[in-house]
Amino acid sequence: AENIKIGVSYPTPTHAWAAGMNWHAEQAEKRLEALYPDVDLILVNSPDPSAQASALEDLVSVHKIDALVVLPFESEPLTDPVLNVKNSGARITVVDRGLSQPGIEDIYVAGNNPEMGRVSAVYMKTRLESGDNIVILRGIPTLIDNERFDAFMAEMEGSGVNVLDHKHANWNRDDGFEVMQDFLSRFPDIDAVWAQDDDIAIGVVAALKQAGRDGDGMFVVGGAGMKETIKSIMDGETLVPVDVLYPPSMIATAMDVTVASFKSNGPVAGRYILGATLITPENAASFYFPDSPF
Amino acid sequence: MLDGQSSTTLVLEADRISKSFGAVPVLFSVSMGIRAGEVHALIGENGAGKSTLMKVLSGFHTPTSGRILFDGEETVLPPDGGAERLGIVLIHQELNLAEQMTVEENIYLGRELTRNGVLDRETMRNKVRGYLDEIGLDISTSARIADLSIAEKQMVEIVKAISRNARVLIMDEPTAVLTEAETALFFRQVEKLKKTGVAVVFVSHKLSEVKLIADRITILRDGQWIGTKDADALSPDAMAQMMVGRELSDLYPPMHEVDVDAELVLEVRNLYSSGVSDVSFDLRKGEILGFSGLIGAGRTAVFEAVCGLAPIESGQVFFEGRETRFASVAAARDAGVAYLTKDRKAKGLLLDKQMRPNLTLFALPKFVRRFGIDTKAEDKAMARAIRRFDIRARDPKINVGDMSGGNQQKLLLAKIIETDPQVVIIDEPTRGIDVGTKQQVYHFIAALAAEGVSVVVISSEMPEVIGISHRVVVMRDGQVMGVLTGDDINENEIVRYAAGLKREGRG
Amino acid sequence: MTVLANSSLGKGKRMSFDIKTAGPAIALILLCIIGFLLNPAFLSEGNLTNLLTRSAFIGIIAVGATFVITAGGIDLSVGSMAAAIAGVMIIIMNSAVETLGPGLATVLLGCGCSIVLGIGAGWINGMLTTKGKIEAFIVTLGTMGIYRSLVTYFADGGTLSLDFAIRGTYRPVYYGSFLGLPIPVWVFIVVAVLGWFLLNRTAFGRYCTAIGSNEAVAKYSAIKVDRVKTMTYVIQGLCVSLATIIYVPRLGSASSSTGVLWELEAIAAVIIGGTVLKGGYGRIGGTILGALILTTIGNILNFTDLISNYLNGTMQGLIIIIAVWLQRGDWGKAKAKTN
Amino acid sequence: MTVLANSSLGKGKRMSFDIKTAGPAIALILLCIIGFLLNPAFLSEGNLTNLLTRSAFIGIIAVGATFVITAGGIDLSVGSMAAAIAGVMIIIMNSAVETLGPGLATVLLGCGCSIVLGIGAGWINGMLTTKGKIEAFIVTLGTMGIYRSLVTYFADGGTLSLDFAIRGTYRPVYYGSFLGLPIPVWVFIVVAVLGWFLLNRTAFGRYCTAIGSNEAVAKYSAIKVDRVKTMTYVIQGLCVSLATIIYVPRLGSASSSTGVLWELEAIAAVIIGGTVLKGGYGRIGGTILGALILTTIGNILNFTDLISNYLNGTMQGLIIIIAVWLQRGDWGKAKAKTN
Ligand SMILES: Nc1ncnc2c1ncn2[C@@H]1O[C@H](COP(=O)(O)OP(=O)(O)OP(=O)(O)O)[C@@H](O)[C@H]1O
Ligand SMILES: Nc1ncnc2c1ncn2[C@@H]1O[C@H](COP(=O)(O)OP(=O)(O)OP(=O)(O)O)[C@@H](O)[C@H]1O
Ligand SMILES: [Mg+2]
Ligand SMILES: [Mg+2]
């Protein structure tokens, strides 16, 4: 049989979540190629949007792919390049970040960023009262960060909880540590921290412990579902009591679905939106992948 | 020619010029008039302010007080070489060429010929070729300055200046790095320019040259104007006396004979290196060995190879009887062999540093006490060097680059001697040094030899080699043409060997 | 005899010089051979076109950087500058589309603004270094941060995107071809030729070299050092704006991640090409090859999955070092060095 | 008249020199005043301690960079080198915990490895620049990419985390205090004092300065140029490894984003401190102040919400440029320049 070539393009992992995604992609590649000898998956990662656009060009001109699974670095810049791939005749599966023009992709698999912000806020409200103070550590200034942040703020609206300040910690542990140190110097009374991301949360926790302000009911909410965090939730840690899922395995889901679109008889096109589940000690075990780097 | 009129009109005149750097006064109310079609020499001791005056007269320095008259009118000269447009061209004492650029590019720098905005490279190249041929300089127009020898660089500077259609051509020690042959070529050009009515001002410490070419002579001492005389009225001795302010005794010290049985300190056998082929000679303890030859004869190359600065291709070097190959300058230094470069700007001194770190740089291990540098010992060394070599910097904290050329040379000498070497090779020891100090340097070299230090003097100044050497090696094209001793050491013999008219059989 | 020695000296020099010039070319050819061996599709027309087009951005910026570096300066702000200019262009075109319509006029307005901004930004860098007497490294590190954060600010942390109506008009500037070559390649060629001409055939080019070689000498040769230096930054700005003009239609957007690390790539291209980082010697031809080499490395790494993706950076680093080592072209001649 | 003009000029010169030395200090004091005005908590003991501790990383690295830059080189690889060393340290300690247990021995093993790696990495940079005769910019750009991708590879794109058992033993190296000052600050102080001594009071320091000032003169002055230059890179590597040793216990992890842009920060600190980028003049004291200035800028921006988060980079850029401009300390003396 003729080979089915599927290109898989995503950003170079520069933080743990992306590394987890990369791990899931590699696992899926092995699994699918073993399962279907005629399927060839080609994984490419790129350090920035224009490199990703270049990689897409190379997938078409060199590898002559039949389908593309793409997690765009950013939506806008990659809309045209993906459209070009589509025009070459390949099927398109978009993961996570939607393109800015509807109708290009055949399949869409995504997490839910606004939902992530909202779910975090809902949890916050269950623990806080009017007049309580929180600080927010945001990610890298991007659309994703904005979506999470805006949804969070919208949900908090009217709760009476004060957001003292929000600074970018770039989904980075070091920045999380330093920004939190400064928040602690600046604000004597903080009741909770929304760190948005598990990496930032690690830095935040270190800063809290250093300043000795990790007691009296203070808590931190991160996000994404890092295995260490999930483990500590399973163990009943109170400083980071919950996590909000944004699963890096979505890329594997997308690869599965794409291969299925060649192999299955039924139609597989459409939208697959994964939830932003709140991970609590009760359900944590089912989200724990000890082998993943994330 | 234009005589009657041109010899009296002053093109450029300094009127009671004073100049200070910071709080340090350098020139005190100096006046000097320059006539069209004359060669006007400016002489004076090191640090007398000659270079400073020349820079004031060409707009590179603004005078602190006093006036400059150009064509009889008071003028404020434009800065940074802008005076070239008025026809006032200065060749700086320190070489002023862009090292990475070619000869052609340097000669036309700042006034490139263009056609419709495009460089007219063809014309520029041809013109430069013409200039180079005229002055007898055999280098390519597209040679990089960095690849030229220092003398060639100086010739390029001269060509650059000559090509600028100057009305006043000011040259600060243009001949310091030239041999007599090249100086003669250069003077031919000066004569030519003079005939066309160009006023030539030049600074030199070679008084015989001054006597030969100058029409009038101005003498500076300690920043003061001492006098302006017709050249005919002054003998070199009189010049020296006016400069130094006292009568000079014999320039050269009395010669101590070397003990013919003195041990051989350095023996070089069949040395091959780049620019050196089959060179052999030896050097005895306490001997002063002169090296003579034309520029590019390979004298420097021999000692750069010996001292670990350039790789030896083949041949043997014996130091104190043992075969040695110094792997690095440091190894040579530690063994007691020191080499003083002739290129003090590029290889000798850190121009952006003060005197003290420069003085001790070569001998620095000597100044280390318990891991740190003993600054007190450095200060003592500095004081000693200043005394010994009469280094005059009015401001001791000045950067070496701002010191007068001659004083830099003295500092360089002091720097090398600081290691107390057994063998010292001095390449052009008195380049840019005034007669008074020259005398001191010669006596110093003689004293070193008397103490048992062996000295190699590489010099392009024939009288110097003749005056102080026990023996003279003459080189040409990287080979030794002959070794002269005793009465054979005279100008006639040296020239015959150097020009290849005579060659010794190998022994 | 003297003449002989001289001429042989000259020849030796000229030959080593030739190798030096040919160095980057040899490195590039080797890379192409490796690419072909890894995957014959490397030499397909499609891939070569992609490669050239991609090199155009960095290449055009690097031509500007060649001037700055030759004159002894450095410009770290180019990547952020490109992002900021792209951002402003998009904002302006998006708002002009209401009055001017999505036609050529709007695109031209955008390009005009880009050029004005590029020149202005270059001028600011130039003035701060020359008149402000602040080290170029600091000035451009500062403006790098400023432009980067401005584009984030304009985009509100997200992405600025070009109105889809305009894209149709503007698209051909990136995706169109002329005589078989994509437009960006043509722009690259024109910039390269003009840059080469300016550096090698005009007085201005010589002034840049002279300033980089020895500022005092340049000054004493009555060259207006500050003006020439400022001009090199202006040229750099102009090149950045040209690169941006062909970049915007490619992805139709700008964000805070646009142009990240382009400054290092551009400088690397310049230096791989043989220009001396400390100034005084510049080679536009080498710069072009340098840009092609860098793009080719990235391209080749997309061609093979022999190497873990994570090790791309290792390969890139090794190849850059080896390429420059190759182009020194005096292996084993170490002995002759001292002269 | 003459004398008057002279003496005032002279004083100007001496004064401007003093201001130049004092420049970074003044800039830092101004920043502190601004910080205090924005929020009095800026001067709280806790914040000052944080500030000093944070400066330690960049500061220690910048001390090394002062040597490299003074000797006319540059090292872009330090950030990646730190990340790679941290990664390897963690891997080694994690695997040693089984045999050596989670005690001091393991930590010492880790630190030892860090130092060996730092020295080795520096030595490689040095040899490639001196013996390989490749421009330092290219060498270290290459090794920067290599180390960065190696750490990504080791971490599988993610994060390497130190075994929790070891953290307890190792923690005090970051979080502990001695005489009221955190350990990292002590390390910083020791490195700074040693660095100052080495640069200003030893033959080696003189040699660095001499080489940066004029390599040919250095060579003719019996300085082993290649060896000294290599040593500066080794010192840089050692400083990076020290910085890494105090960095690892902080969060107990290393990832591909560890140390990103530290190279630019370190170089910026060096140059803000008054060291000349082209070499020949280095000031350790200035470097320390430069590192403090950079950290303080970031700290102050976290202390206020007056400025849009997005504009942090703009403020940072402006403050850096202004700080360096301030330290030039010859505002308005442009006229006196010509002398
Ligand atoms: N830029 C400067 N700053 C401070 N002092 C200077 C500067 N230039 C020259 N001087 C000082 O001025 C004095 C005169 O120097 P000048 O170079 O004019 O002497 P000179 O007569 O040319 O000596 P030489 O024969 O040695 O070249 C010296 O003491 C020198 O140190
Ligand atoms: N064949 C050659 N290959 C490389 N370099 C050469 C060759 N021949 C001569 N040179 C170089 O030419 C220069 C001229 O030689 P050198 O400086 O030793 O001559 P010199 O007699 O000392 O002349 P000067 O009067 O200038 O001191 C040297 O730098 C030498 O290395
Ligand atoms: Mg002089
Ligand atoms: Mg010589």
Side-chain angles (χ1 to χ4, degrees), chain A residues 26 168 265:
Chain A
E26 284 174 352
H168 290 283
N265 300 323

Side-chain angles (χ1 to χ4, degrees), chain B residues 29-91:
Chain B
S29 191
V30 173
S31 299
M32 178 179 179
I34 300 158
R35 298 175 185 157
E38 77 164 342
V39 175
H40 195 140
L42 180 64
I43 60 175
E45 282 179 288
N46 296 130
K50 304 180 293 295
S51 301
T52 308
L53 179 59
M54 298 296 94
K55 285 184 188 163
V56 169
L57 277 177
S58 48
F60 288 95
H61 284 331
T62 43
T64 317
S65 71
R67 304 183 306 155
I68 291 170
L69 302 169
F70 184 57
D71 281 336
E73 276 172 47
E74 185 172 344
T75 314
V76 175
L77 295 173
D80 298 335
E84 261 186 46
R85 278 189 293 278
L86 303 174
I88 304 173
V89 175
L90 172 69
I91 303 186

Side-chain angles (χ1 to χ4, degrees), chain C residues 72 132-133 149 278 314 328 338, chain D residues 72 132-133 149 278 314 328:
Chain C
K133 297 199 174 51
S149 92
K278 306 222 167 195
T314 303
R328 277 181 28 248
T338 349
Chain D
K133 297 198 173 53
S149 92
K278 307 223 165 194
T314 303
R328 277 181 30 248

Side-chain angles (χ1 to χ4, degrees), chain C residues 2 26 35 77-78 89 108 112 139 141 154 168 182 207 236 249 254 261 266 269 296-297 301 324:
Chain C
T2 310
I26 292 172
S77 69
V78 292
M89 265 180 89
L108 285 180
V139 168
L141 186 71
F154 293 146
Y207 295 164
Q236 172 73 84
L261 291 188
T296 309
I297 295 175
L301 291 173
V324 173

